[in-house]
Amino acid sequence: MNEQERRQRISQLDAEMLGGQVFLSAWCAFIVNETDTAFVHGAFLAAILTAVAGIETCFRFEYRAGERQGLNDLINDATVDEDLRQDLHTLRKYRNQWVHINDPWNDDKLIQSPEELRNELERTALFAVTTLRRVMYVHQWIQR
């Protein structure tokens, strides 16, 4: 996808999922905007990492304001359907691979197949942007 197609995809996701008002903290709204900006401009890893931060912030806003609880526990404790919960764990685990690089010298894939890795990051970034919106929009209506 090019920049315009990515921007249109975000608009399409919002139109498909938004079913009324959404109440987000200012932090959530800020992080969502940063996620969208990163995605639209092709900073896919940044979009993934920021989307997960947005999901965590949304859950803290809903459930655990002020508590120090890991994302794994926030996901497990959230009132979400099982499909969303599984997608959240998939995204969390993918994020962890990038945040906690255990062997930085094992970079063959990055060097030998950068386009393949970039395509994977783009697909995952779209998944992250979509999952963030599922948390923001769909989850809100389950709660209420």
Side-chain angles (χ1 to χ4, degrees), residues 51-52 54-56 59 71-72 74-76 78-96 127-128 130-136 139:
V52 175
I55 290 165
E56 186 169 347
F59 281 155
L71 181 57
N72 185 56
L74 287 169
I75 293 169
N76 287 334
T79 306
V80 296
D81 64 48
E82 195 54 35
D83 287 342
L84 179 53
R85 186 180 324 283
Q86 291 305 315
D87 286 349
L88 289 164
H89 281 300
T90 298
L91 188 56
R92 177 187 59 80
K93 291 173 186 173
Y94 189 85
R95 184 268 331 239
N96 285 349
F127 175 68
T130 303
T131 304
L132 173 60
R133 278 169 169 73
R134 288 173 64 201
V135 168
M136 286 178 0
H139 171 257

Side-chain angles (χ1 to χ4, degrees), residues 85-141:
R85 186 180 324 283
Q86 291 305 315
D87 286 349
L88 289 164
H89 281 300
T90 298
L91 188 56
R92 177 187 59 80
K93 291 173 186 173
Y94 189 85
R95 184 268 331 239
N96 285 349
Q97 294 174 28
W98 286 96
V99 172
H100 308 291
I101 296 175
N102 293 324
D103 186 6
W105 293 105
N106 184 7
D107 54 7
D108 293 341
K109 183 178 179 180
L110 181 62
I111 293 168
Q112 294 172 0
S113 306
E115 193 58 36
E116 183 181 317
L117 184 59
R118 180 155 174 79
N119 290 338
E120 175 186 303
L121 285 169
E122 183 176 10
R123 285 189 308 274
T124 306
L126 178 57
F127 175 68
V129 166
T130 303
T131 304
L132 173 60
R133 278 169 169 73
R134 288 173 64 201
V135 168
M136 286 178 0
Y137 298 149
V138 177
H139 171 257
Q140 295 248 343
W141 298 111

